[in-house]
Amino acid sequence: MTGDDPLEESESGEPLTDGGDETAEPQSALRADGGAAGADDVALDPWGSSSVSDYRKLFEEFGIEEFDEILDEVPHPHYLMRRGVIFGHRDYRPVAEALQNDEPAAVLSGFMPTGDPHIGHKLVFDEIIWHQQQGADAYALIADLEANSARGMSWEEIDEHARSYLLSLLALGFDPEDGTLYRQSTNREVQDLAFELGAEANFSEFQAIYGFDGETDVSHMQSVVTQMADILYPQLEEPKPTVIPVGPDQDPHVRLARDLAERMRFFKVSEAYASFELEPEERDLVAEFYERLDPADFDDDDLRCVHVAEALEETPLSEIDADADTLSSVLTKLNEAGMEPVRPRTRFFDRRATDDAFNALIDAIEGEKRVYESHVDAFEIDRAEAEELARQVEVENGGYGFQPPSSIYHRFMTGLTGGKMSSSVPASHISLLDDPEDGYDKVKSATTGGRETAEEQREKGGKADECPVYELYAYLLAGDDDEFAKRVYDECVGGERLCGDCKEQAAQLMKEFLADHQEKRAEVEALLEDADIELESPRRR
Ligand code: TRP
Ligand code: SF4
């Protein structure tokens, strides 16, 4: 479900925006910000039926960043970005920069073929396609191993659904000649990489992240490392910024993948001031006092560790921005180093490099350097240069040099019947295979954010922020036309738009969309046959 299975894990019918501030300034008209104040705790469970009741918690508790803050850096942002449907990200900046500068970048997402593709999947299809059009290498995969192990789907069912997902993806504009399609079960490279990554993860970690226990199938665990390999697959040839568009329920996978990418690296680059190692908070403290001492006042090597220690000891505790433990460990380290000169340097720590790679790194470092047992200190290159050098040496010496993968997160859609979108309640969602007339009918009978009476609606305006029909306009029906989406919103909250007509218009647009989409699906049949992906699983009996 690429995370987006709104069908299983959608937001529980919570209003689209901040529960009630309809007087927000007009720009917010297109935005779907906020999320209702938390009724329950956020739990991000890729296989559960977690719901997101408060998107703000995802920022506060999980460290997902707000997409808005980087919107300006994205060239020709997609309407889902402009309208806040894509609300969060992890580390998307390198991808935006690469797109901006026509440098290599990749996009990848995966789909568990457990049912028919629906309008929630369309969000992810669109995200992949948009990145492909912006110049990224695009990958879409069928998570058939995961569907088989985590959902118990048969290979026949998987094949049928996989085909249908792929037809919709192609119909919406994915270029299979330029992009890559694969299924997990027949991609040997992915499986080899999965095995390799598995050596960097262990059961306790899976327990902590996913709540696995002694009853969890081994193949379910294997599907996790497979997904890790999927996520890093675009970087097998060479490292590049890669974005994984998914729903926030997939964030645990993204975090693990980012960790594993890091653990696979040959070298760790950090900053140091003397031969000893510093923890990040310790480093901040030393950095601050190093600056305060005004190193320029000292002749060449005259600034010694003891001087920094003295300065720290003379400073009243209240002026030191660090806890007692940090302070005391810093003092110990500085005093032990005694008369060693304090000199800022960039450190390359040998994490899992081969001897050849370590030696190659030493040779490649320009300027003054000092070589130790398992690290090298360089005095004339800065952190950014060092990162680049470390990656280059790693890649030239048989390592992957992975960049931590980035992600973007979209909101789950509200069910048409008000609650969650649920595959067991057909009226709550619209499948991309629904008969256009059925699509029309579903929209016509959808819940709205309208008032009791037309009169009241004219007077107070509708609640577009709480209306699944408005959501349909913003997420899909208005397409790239912001002005149209904004007009619907303004007319609704301004009381000029009444639900009957509004739904009629939406229903009509939905009918046209479905008819058009299904026609395109038929047209891309041949394209799919020619595409480089096995449509029939060799595991079928
Ligand atoms: N686990 C995803 C889901 O439940 C499917 C998936 C497999 C995936 N591999 C992936 C999603 C890689 C994104 C990237 O839908
Ligand atoms: Fe929703 Fe349209 Fe009614 Fe407004 S007018 S509440 S957008 S159906």
Side-chain angles (χ1 to χ4, degrees), residues 1-5 9 46-47 108-113 121 124 141-144 146 151 182 184 223 226-231 244-246 249-250 253-254:
M1 82 195 125
T2 292
D4 103 273
D5 202 0
E9 9 260 293
W47 302 282
L108 172 141
S109 198
F111 304 90
M112 247 212 284
H121 295 112
V124 185
L141 67 103
I142 297 297
D144 58 351
E146 185 181 0
R151 292 282 164 86
Y182 71 87
Q184 289 175 327
S223 75
T226 305
Q227 178 156 352
M228 298 303 109
D230 289 332
I231 291 175
I244 314 298
V246 277
D249 61 303
Q250 298 290 302
H253 288 313
V254 171

